[in-house]
Amino acid sequence: MAVNPEVSRVKVEKELERAASYAQRRGWQLQWNPNALFLRASITASDNESYIFEFHFDDYPEIPPLIDVVHPETGERNTARCFPTGGKGYFHSSNRICAYWSRNAYTDGGPHAGNWVMGDWISKDPLRKELGLILALLADLLEDTSYKGRKAS
Amino acid sequence: MKEKKPKDSIRVDVQTPVGNWTHDFEKTTKISEVIQEILLHFDLAPGNYQMRLISNGEVLQPDRPLVSYHIEDDTNLELFPDQGGGV
């Protein structure tokens, strides 16, 4: 069932407010467009590379956000050049984020298309049930020892 | 003006991805108990969480009390959940 965009907007803005202080301390650049329910998050990795994650929050929180990974220089989306290495399985070989909180994991071509149910996302990974927790995980993965730069140059 | 801190307590400033919280804990409070209080405060789901000192990144062991780390008032701690993995 579709979620009223106003409901999604209020939910995201509440989560952004909760995350604001932490985001500032960690140096994330967050640009929120409430009319489009769109968030652009720029997170710097341990090697000073910037990674851009674009979140689309239509029908949120009933379904997880759609997260595109965008190259900061070329603007290309969801290619190997956009993605970091490492990631403990979250940065899937299909160039999608493979996680219950990532809508692209469920859709056609995604690693779990057909065998996951979007509506279950929070119950499946409650430790990532809101935006600040998702961003914190992405940032931690970019500082992890398994991170060795971009997947492709 | 800050509330007067109870005797034998430590005032910690906890930072999490869902907000900050300043709270007085008894010095003998175990790290695991501090974490549970934080989860309740922020309505976070139960699970595997850790806490670390922001100053040096040291991860605090859950069975040890706050006082064993010589934590002083207004020490900054960070709560973070287990990373899990892609599925």
Side-chain angles (χ1 to χ4, degrees):
Chain A
M1 186 162 60
V3 176
N4 185 315
E6 182 65 10
V7 171
S8 299
R9 182 189 67 78
V10 168
K11 178 84 168 117
V12 174
E13 289 181 356
K14 181 178 176 184
E15 293 178 1
L16 279 170
E17 187 180 335
R18 276 163 59 98
S21 176
Y22 189 86
Q24 184 178 42
R25 180 173 69 79
R26 293 203 63 176
W28 305 338
Q29 303 296 315
L30 304 178
Q31 297 172 276
W32 168 236
N33 181 336
N35 295 324
L37 296 176
F38 169 81
L39 175 76
R40 182 178 167 97
S42 175
I43 301 176
T44 303
S46 55
D47 61 354
N48 288 323
E49 278 282 321
S50 288
Y51 289 86
I52 309 294
F53 302 94
E54 293 188 345
F55 291 74
H56 302 263
F57 288 101
D58 44 301
D59 295 323
Y60 183 80
E62 190 163 303
I63 61 174
L66 188 146
I67 308 171
D68 288 328
V69 188
V70 183
H71 196 281
E73 291 168 17
T74 66
E76 61 197 271
R77 323 175 81 74
N78 303 323
T79 64
R81 296 205 308 168
C82 302
F83 272 78
T85 51
K88 301 193 173 180
Y90 288 110
F91 303 138
H92 195 263
S93 56
S94 63
N95 296 323
R96 295 171 182 236
I97 293 178
C98 181
Y100 292 110
W101 39 268
S102 165
R103 200 183 310 169
N104 274 335
Y106 302 77
T107 53
D108 285 346
H112 291 282
N115 68 343
W116 278 2
V117 176
M118 275 194 217
D120 293 344
W121 74 279
I122 290 177
S123 66
K124 291 294 188 183
D125 191 1
L127 268 58
R128 252 64 64 175
K129 69 173 182 170
E130 68 178 83
L131 179 59
L133 297 166
I134 294 171
L135 290 169
L137 172 61
L138 291 171
D140 285 347
L141 292 172
L142 294 175
E143 294 178 4
D144 190 74
T145 53
S146 65
Y147 171 73
K148 308 286 184 200
R150 289 188 183 276
K151 270 192 192 179
S153 55
Chain B
M1 189 170 71
K2 285 184 182 176
E3 274 183 43
K4 192 171 178 183
K5 186 172 67 72
K7 193 181 169 189
D8 294 330
S9 69
I10 299 172
R11 178 162 291 173
V12 296
D13 176 29
V14 180
Q15 298 184 18
T16 82
V18 296
N20 297 344
W21 187 39
T22 299
H23 191 69
D24 299 327
F25 291 95
E26 288 185 13
K27 292 180 179 179
T28 55
T29 307
K30 289 185 181 177
I31 300 301
S32 60
E33 293 167 334
V34 173
I35 290 174
Q36 287 309 308
E37 288 293 304
I38 297 168
L39 298 189
L40 280 172
H41 178 78
F42 287 110
D43 189 29
L44 290 172
N48 197 6
Y49 293 82
Q50 291 184 300
M51 206 141 67
R52 58 187 166 212
L53 289 170
I54 290 178
S55 60
N56 63 7
E58 180 183 5
V59 176
L60 308 181
Q61 298 305 307
D63 289 338
R64 285 177 59 177
L66 283 167
V67 67
S68 73
Y69 285 102
H70 307 289
I71 290 173
E72 299 177 347
D73 283 342
D74 301 316
T75 293
N76 293 321
L77 304 178
E78 178 179 359
L79 179 80
F80 59 101
D82 181 75
Q83 292 179 351
V87 286

